[in-house]
Amino acid sequence: MSGTVAEAVVVGGGLAGLAAAVAVARSGLQTVHLAPKGPRDQRTSALMMPSVDYLRSAGLVAEPSEVGQPLTQIRIIDATDRLIRAPETLFDSAEAGFPAFGWNFPNVKLTEAFEKAREALPNLTTREVSVTAIQTGGEATRLSLSDGTTLDAALLVGADGKKSLIRASAGFRARENAFAQSALVCDLQLGRPIGGASIEFHYPEGPFTLVPAGDNRANLVWIDDRDVLRAAQAGGPEQLKATFREKSKRLFGSIELLTPTYIFPLSSITVDKAGMGGIVLVGEAAHAFPPIGAQGLNLSLRDVADLAAALANTDRTPGWATRVSDDYAQRRSGDLARTGGMVDSLFRSLLADFLPTQAMRAGGLWALKLVPPLRRQAFGLGMGSR
Ligand SMILES: Cc1cc2nc3c(=O)[nH]c(=O)nc-3n(C[C@H](O)[C@H](O)[C@H](O)COP(=O)(O)OP(=O)(O)OC[C@H]3O[C@@H](n4cnc5c(N)ncnc54)[C@H](O)[C@@H]3O)c2cc1C
């Protein structure tokens, strides 16, 4: 297998890499997907309606109800004891004119669905190897692989996550920022159903969010200082359950743990541009931020949609891969800057000790609560409508 050539190589077997491999192969290119086996992704992803429409149109998920749960309401509760507190706010998808804002999917089930779509494509080969080094500068990018072979790629798609080797080795300029906060996730069984409502308790250290997972089940995403989360995890199930009851203001009766807890360190990454010289970055290789406002995978799917559009827009005459990467970088620049900026300001406003910032946030939520046109505009922004 040494020294083989592929029209396109996608690196990374996470959800962004799987979606990208399917999209690139569907554009007609002979595609190799390098996807080393990793641990099961125990998170869930809230995907907004435009992303769910993309999953359908790209042949990744035919029927969302077979994979996830609809999200019809977002309830925000200010659980701080700050001087200026925000009002409790309920957003209902019916008001935005949609049956649901989106769907909440277990990542394990999304992975299975995407893998099924990948298997159906005859021009797509999957290899469970990782990339150990890349060499740029020639007509193709040369990849050294963990099995000792090399592979040349005319178009290289880096979907290799936050610590992307492709991003670092190909000279993409990135700004990175590690936060003191982490996110603790697990699945819970509640004493009462929460219907289709995602319920966010905003604490000064970060939000404690319950996302509907069907019947009385919910997925918890709790953002707090890393040491606080580690101590809570180390305290064992009984102490965790007591903490969860406390943090959720005892609104749900009993709380049982359905899974172990997992902790994810939080950081942000932004690249100056997401494509150049026949190489493009998708998913967390190109952008990462704290999981508030459910933007990460939504943004990754928009990366993949724009990559498909750039491929459809480029003829395959010599130099095509560079033209695809340039077109992709241009298509992505506005969305990446806008979404990254929005999540960053939201995260900082949630954690701010600064009184004027708290006042602005509370004022913003009052305005959203009271002014329907503003609320509709916010729905559009949060859902990533283009
Ligand atoms: C707690 C939490 C909750 C979240 N909730 C939401 C949500 O509700 N909605 C939403 O839209 N987003 C959410 N996100 C964000 C979302 O999970 C991520 O954006 C998405 O999963 C990133 O996928 P990815 O494929 O880019 O990265 P990853 O899942 O990290 O995949 C990267 C892959 O690359 C592989 N890889 C790495 N290096 C190499 C190499 N050298 N060679 C080959 N392969 C390599 C790895 O093995 C891995 O499989 C959440 C994130 C967190 C942390």
Side-chain angles (χ1 to χ4, degrees), residues 270-330:
T270 32
V271 287
D272 284 351
K273 50 182 182 170
M276 58 182 184
I279 304 176
V280 302
L281 301 176
V282 302
E284 290 202 330
H287 48 75
F289 27 71
I292 51 167
Q295 293 294 328
L297 186 58
N298 284 282
L299 191 59
S300 307
L301 292 172
R302 300 208 288 279
D303 296 341
V304 175
D306 271 346
L307 177 57
L311 283 163
N313 192 39
T314 311
D315 60 33
R316 301 284 151 79
T317 50
W320 65 268
T322 300
R323 292 200 299 280
V324 167
S325 62
D326 291 349
D327 185 0
Y328 173 78
Q330 204 176 1

Side-chain angles (χ1 to χ4, degrees), residues 11-17 34-38 41 43-47 104 107 129-132 159-165 183 185 221 264-266 282-285 287 289 291 294-300:
V11 181
L15 288 168
L34 302 178
K37 277 245 171 305
D41 186 343
R43 292 170 292 183
T44 58
S45 296
L47 294 183
N104 184 37
N107 286 8
V129 292
S130 48
V131 177
T132 54
D160 49 342
K162 269 187 189 180
K163 295 184 179 151
S164 172
L165 175 125
V185 303
V221 182
F264 294 84
L266 300 185
V282 302
E284 290 202 330
H287 48 75
F289 27 71
Q295 293 294 328
L297 186 58
N298 284 282
L299 191 59
S300 307

Side-chain angles (χ1 to χ4, degrees), residues 106-119:
N107 286 8
V108 169
K109 287 200 172 176
L110 278 184
T111 303
E112 282 168 12
F114 290 12
E115 282 176 350
K116 206 166 148 202
R118 181 181 64 176
E119 276 154 27

Side-chain angles (χ1 to χ4, degrees), residues 10 23 48 74 132 145 162 184 204 212 223 256-257 263 285 323:
V10 179
M48 300 300 136
I74 299 170
T132 54
L145 306 180
K162 269 187 189 180
L184 179 145
I223 296 179
E256 295 300 328
L257 303 181
I263 295 179
R323 292 200 299 280

Side-chain angles (χ1 to χ4, degrees), residues 49 60 124 169 203 294 349 372:
M49 242 28 233
L60 291 163
L124 175 52
S169 313
Y203 284 92
S349 83

